[in-house]
Amino acid sequence: MNLFKSPTRIHLFLFFSLLLGPFQARSAEEILTPEAPTIAASSYVLQDYHTGKFLAENNADAKLAPASLTKIMTVYVVFKELSSGNLHLEDKATISDKAWKTPGSRMFIEVNNQVSISDLLHGVIIQSGNDASVALAEHVGGNEATFADMMNQHAQRLGMMNSHFVNSDGLPNPDHYTSARDLAILTRALIKEFPEYYRWFSQKEFTFNNITQQNRNKLLWRDASVDGVKTGFTDDAGYCLVASALRDEMRLISVVMGTKSSNARANENQTLLNYGFRFFESHRLYQGKTPLTEARLWKGESKTIPLGLAEDLYVTIPRKHYSDLKAVINVDKGITAPVKAGDKFGTVNVSLKDEPVTSRDLIALESIDKGNIFQRIYDEAMLLMEKK
């Protein structure tokens, strides 16, 4: 029985957790999780999508050349423009001479032709077209330098502390770099914010101008749970891959940079993903925007106010230790109207064998105004009596 699914079960769980906590601590198995496997790469991370917890990492904040992993940010910026209504998938971009001549992997667009934003995005995501990346940058930003400024603004907003972009395609430049951790942060944001577009990353091939090219992410063929994300290669960067996989409602993001071959980047990502799924599990404990408890409200139109969480609360823990989780709800006393939805009035603290796992604010789920004069006077008197 899942004790985290309803307020009634929550209260029972909290009671028995307090009653049986010492016994559970003595009787439960010790938590033993093996160290992450050795990964042959310059840098790597493994992150749980729902919680953002990093399960394995090495040299994660090193500033490295990203090659075509850059294009994750390129399409993120374009997705943002689409979501804001500044751009539409059916809009046409005129292909410049610069875009047409861009070296490296290509979508094979032709100069002066008009190509839809949808086709260009497919050309970037599936075919890794440098020409398509430049065409998108020029259409969205007016020129690639302005588009790079947009990329850096989004990077800063997302907390990508070790990233700086100067182009949209990832061709080598000493001032163009990112880190494995930053790429995981970016990928997590992209999947969360744009699920309707993220599905394109699992597409195995795309045909444009009568030329069919396959997705370079070999894991799409090897592992049915893998549904993205992007490969990259230059002599400077080595072979790189950001991968994501979904198994039993648990999603992991792996980033491997600086491997020796296209097979190696696939193998090392697969090793990381298998490690994460084998030894960890994710659970949604509470649903966001859903009442977890009610608190006494003083001097308000209502005598109680529902409290809950702003978003779903997930935890990532070692496998087979779900029963060792303990949740404690702390509610502030003396909550007085008026109250606005979103105001903070306590916390939910989750621990595993007395070790903190996560803590979230309890918020008011609705706004409640002051009560009438009689309600306020009555509650004032009751409050004075409680203080005595």
Side-chain angles (χ1 to χ4, degrees):
M1 181 173 66
N2 191 334
L3 295 169
F4 290 99
K5 294 299 184 183
S6 70
T8 300
R9 290 178 177 176
I10 291 167
H11 296 150
L12 289 172
F13 177 66
L14 295 175
F15 172 76
F16 286 111
S17 291
L18 293 172
L19 182 66
L20 300 177
F23 172 78
Q24 290 176 336
R26 289 194 300 269
S27 62
E29 296 179 4
E30 183 181 359
I31 298 177
L32 297 174
T33 302
E35 292 185 1
T38 300
I39 300 298
S42 301
S43 175
Y44 65 84
V45 297
L46 176 67
Q47 183 186 41
D48 181 275
Y49 164 76
H50 286 298
T51 63
K53 181 176 181 179
F54 287 93
L55 308 178
E57 62 179 82
N58 183 58
N59 211 22
D61 297 311
K63 297 176 180 178
L64 300 174
S68 284
L69 301 185
T70 298
K71 292 165 184 165
I72 302 174
M73 177 57 86
T74 299
V75 299
Y76 179 86
V77 174
V78 177
F79 291 163
K80 275 290 188 181
E81 293 299 297
L82 289 167
S83 66
S84 68
N86 295 330
L87 191 66
H88 304 89
L89 289 176
E90 62 273 16
D91 290 349
K92 302 283 188 178
T94 301
I95 307 306
S96 70
D97 187 67
K98 177 184 177 182
W100 176 60
K101 289 181 177 178
T102 304
S105 53
R106 305 174 65 81
M107 180 187 178
F108 298 104
I109 50 180
E110 297 178 356
V111 67
N112 294 327
N113 280 3
Q114 290 196 319
V115 182
S116 72
I117 300 304
S118 177
D119 280 346
L120 289 172
L121 282 168
H122 282 75
V124 172
I125 293 168
I126 302 158
Q127 299 177 329
S128 197
N130 291 343
D131 49 358
S133 298
V134 173
L136 282 171
E138 291 179 335
H139 185 79
V140 171
N143 58 66
E144 197 171 13
T146 301
F147 187 82
D149 287 341
M150 298 172 69
M151 298 169 75
N152 289 321
Q153 288 172 5
H154 284 296
Q156 184 176 17
R157 178 180 56 82
L158 291 171
M160 297 169 63
M161 305 302 294
N162 295 292
S163 296
H164 184 261
F165 301 99
V166 298
N167 60 52
S168 61
D169 49 37
L171 290 175
N173 186 299
D175 294 324
H176 187 90
Y177 53 82
T178 188
S179 70
R181 191 186 310 279
D182 283 358
L183 287 167
I185 291 170
L186 171 62
T187 301
R188 185 177 179 227
L190 185 147
I191 296 171
K192 182 177 182 180
E193 295 178 36
F194 308 111
E196 70 275 30
Y197 302 133
Y198 176 67
R199 58 188 174 85
W200 292 340
F201 287 86
S202 65
Q203 193 168 325
K204 293 181 179 179
E205 64 179 33
F206 180 64
T207 301
F208 182 81
N209 204 13
N210 295 319
I211 300 171
T212 299
Q213 297 186 69
Q214 290 191 331
N215 197 315
R216 293 168 173 79
N217 183 358
K218 294 183 177 182
L219 291 184
L220 295 176
W221 282 266
R222 296 184 187 179
D223 185 339
S225 69
V226 172
D227 54 15
V229 178
K230 190 73 191 72
T231 61
F233 168 75
T234 62
D235 290 338
D236 188 27
Y239 290 86
C240 308
L241 173 62
V242 176
S244 185
L246 180 66
R247 301 181 191 173
D248 299 325
E249 299 185 0
M250 180 181 183
R251 177 177 290 281
L252 295 178
I253 297 167
S254 60
V255 182
V256 169
M257 304 180 73
T259 68
K260 300 298 185 183
S261 68
S262 59
N263 275 331
R265 69 187 175 192
N267 293 340
E268 300 299 354
N269 269 276
Q270 187 75 76
T271 297
L272 277 175
L273 291 171
N274 288 343
Y275 166 76
F277 286 121
R278 172 65 180 84
F279 295 107
F280 296 91
E281 58 189 28
S282 292
H283 296 278
R284 188 180 74 168
L285 303 188
Y286 303 122
Q287 183 177 344
K289 302 293 195 300
T290 300
L292 295 185
T293 187
E294 285 191 338
R296 177 68 164 94
L297 179 64
W298 301 94
K299 304 181 184 181
E301 292 180 333
S302 171
K303 290 187 177 296
T304 60
I305 184 165
L307 302 179
L309 302 173
E311 297 180 338
D312 292 355
L313 191 159
Y314 284 85
V315 294
T316 307
I317 59 173
R319 281 205 172 272
K320 298 183 179 180
H321 286 280
Y322 179 63
S323 61
D324 295 320
L325 285 171
K326 184 184 295 185
V328 177
I329 295 178
N330 298 309
V331 180
D332 294 348
K333 295 182 179 180
I335 303 173
T336 305
V339 169
K340 293 182 180 179
D343 287 348
K344 300 173 183 179
F345 293 114
T347 58
V348 176
N349 300 312
V350 181
S351 61
L352 180 66
K353 289 182 174 291
D354 299 323
E355 291 293 325
V357 174
T358 189
S359 179
R360 297 290 179 84
D361 291 321
L362 269 180
I363 63 168
L365 297 179
E366 60 185 56
S367 299
I368 300 179
D369 290 331
K370 290 182 179 179
N372 61 42
I373 185 65
F374 301 105
Q375 291 169 320
R376 299 200 302 271
I377 292 174
Y378 178 81
D379 279 359
E380 181 66 32
M382 295 297 293
L383 282 169
L384 288 172
M385 292 178 61
E386 283 202 358
K387 292 178 181 179
K388 290 183 179 180

